[in-house]
């Protein structure tokens, strides 16, 4: 466990972060994982209180990071890696113990704790993880995943993968992890159900006229209404279809 100012920084520091920037602490009292905190047991993303210190700005190797202060829409594409087994049991930035068999992740700025959907863009596999750590502090990587998450995404042997990271807001239903064929993309988000239904109708008519086998559906996420399109086998195809639909409507 290590501390930079008031923030307990990622055990994912193994990628490009020197121990010279850290100092040890022995007086941290923090919760450890229980079964109820396993993403595998969740069907709907819960609203959790954000950690008091893990979301403060911090500096690593001369670079300052500014974590997001609320859970909101967020999407990012980049390379993901995964923790080595030697980090088993060490404290994360949230104070929880790292467990390689839990579906967790480290991210430089996503709120702690929060949930994210990660998609391997090369094979369409997806997994939902709980963000409870900071890192990776490596120029060309956006997220570090637990071994279990990397295994579900199918890149344990390769070591890294190009992924899409999408924040999941509280109240959103979690779809089971798996292979392609279950990928949906968000087209538009509305505060009004009536406007969302109008957009849903226009989207459905466009898909029908184009002879598409894909469908549009309306999903309530917290206080918003989201129109989604799918399912797709591959994330790349889903992204292309989304771009085409947003241009057409």
């Amino acid at each position: 466990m290590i501390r930079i100012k008031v923030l307990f920084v990622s055990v994912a520091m193994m990628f490009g972060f020197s121990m010279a920037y850290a100092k040890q602490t022995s007086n941290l009292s923090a919760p450890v994982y229980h079964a109820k905190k396993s993403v595998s047991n969740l069907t709907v993303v819960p609203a959790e209180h954000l950690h008091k210190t893990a979301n403060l700005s911090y500096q690593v190797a001369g670079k300052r990071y500014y974590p997001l202060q609320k859970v909101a829409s967020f999407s990012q594409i980049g390379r993901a890696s995964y923790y080595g087994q030697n980090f088993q049991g060490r404290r994360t930035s949230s104070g929880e113990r790292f467990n390689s068999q839990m579906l967790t992740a480290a991210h430089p700025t996503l709120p702690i704790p929060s949930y994210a959907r990660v998609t391997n863009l090369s094979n369409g596999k997806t997994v939902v993880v709980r963000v409870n750590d900071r890192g990776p502090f490596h120029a060309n990587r956006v997220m570090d995943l637990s071994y279990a998450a990397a295994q579900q995404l199918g890149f344990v042997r390769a070591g890294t993968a190009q992924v899409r990271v999408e924040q999941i807001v509280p109240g959103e239903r979690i779809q089971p992890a798996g292979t392609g064929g279950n990928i949906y993309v968000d087209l538009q988000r509305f505060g009004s159900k009536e406007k969302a239904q109008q957009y849903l109708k226009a989207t459905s008519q466009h898909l029908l006229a184009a002879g598409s086998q894909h469908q549009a559906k309306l999903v309530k996420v917290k206080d918003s209404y989201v129109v989604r399109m799918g399912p797709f086998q591959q994330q790349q195809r889903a992204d292309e279809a989304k771009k085409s639909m947003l241009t057409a409507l």
Side-chain angles (χ1 to χ4, degrees):
M1 67 232 172
I2 39 190
R3 183 173 65 187
I4 295 179
K5 295 187 178 178
V6 293
L7 174 68
F8 290 92
V9 181
S10 171
V11 297
M13 68 179 71
M14 64 262 196
F15 297 111
F17 177 51
S18 169
M19 287 291 287
Y21 289 96
K23 58 183 179 179
Q24 300 294 326
T25 181
S26 59
N27 58 2
L28 174 64
S29 176
V32 295
Y33 266 117
H34 298 287
K36 66 179 181 180
K37 285 196 173 183
S38 170
V39 175
S40 301
N41 296 338
L42 296 176
T43 56
V44 177
V45 169
E48 297 190 41
H49 292 295
L50 297 188
H51 197 280
K52 291 182 179 180
T53 59
N55 297 296
L56 298 176
S57 66
Y58 63 99
Q59 186 170 314
V60 175
K63 181 177 180 179
R64 181 157 291 278
Y65 296 85
Y66 297 90
L68 301 176
Q69 297 302 301
K70 64 178 182 179
V71 180
S73 296
F74 175 93
S75 182
Q76 179 184 34
I77 292 177
R79 295 206 73 77
S81 47
Y82 67 94
Y83 290 84
Q85 292 291 345
N86 56 315
F87 287 91
Q88 180 76 10
R90 300 175 86 175
R91 290 195 191 277
T92 63
S93 298
S94 66
E96 298 163 333
R97 298 284 185 180
F98 173 67
N99 185 333
S100 64
Q101 297 307 309
M102 303 289 280
L103 299 178
T104 60
H107 190 276
T109 59
L110 284 179
I112 290 179
S114 63
Y115 295 80
R117 180 179 294 104
V118 185
T119 303
N120 186 338
L121 298 182
S122 67
N123 59 20
K125 292 183 178 181
T126 65
V127 67
V128 173
V129 295
R130 185 171 185 269
V131 180
N132 71 342
D133 205 4
R134 290 289 173 228
F137 304 112
H138 193 289
N140 67 349
R141 292 176 190 156
V142 299
M143 178 172 271
D144 262 341
L145 297 160
S146 65
Y147 179 85
Q151 193 171 43
Q152 288 200 23
L153 289 176
F155 72 88
V156 168
R157 179 171 295 183
T160 65
Q162 190 76 355
V163 302
R164 176 188 293 278
V165 178
E166 298 171 289
Q167 181 85 84
I168 307 177
V169 299
E172 185 171 344
R173 186 168 295 278
I174 296 178
Q175 296 178 344
T179 59
N182 196 31
I183 300 174
Y184 282 81
V185 288
D186 292 354
L187 294 176
Q188 294 287 356
R189 184 182 295 265
F190 300 88
S192 163
K193 184 176 182 180
E194 182 180 356
K195 290 183 177 179
Q197 289 175 330
Q198 291 174 354
Y199 188 85
L200 174 66
K201 182 179 180 180
T203 303
S204 298
Q205 289 176 341
H206 184 84
L207 289 171
L208 182 63
S212 174
Q213 295 182 347
H214 301 116
Q215 298 179 340
K217 64 179 182 178
L218 183 62
V219 180
K220 191 174 188 303
V221 180
K222 206 173 181 180
D223 297 326
S224 301
Y225 298 89
V226 180
V227 176
R228 290 178 175 163
M229 179 175 63
F232 295 90
Q233 294 288 333
Q234 295 291 335
Q235 186 66 45
Q236 182 177 355
R237 175 68 185 110
D239 292 340
E240 292 171 352
K242 176 180 179 178
K243 183 178 180 180
S244 177
M245 181 62 72
L246 293 178
T247 301
L249 296 181

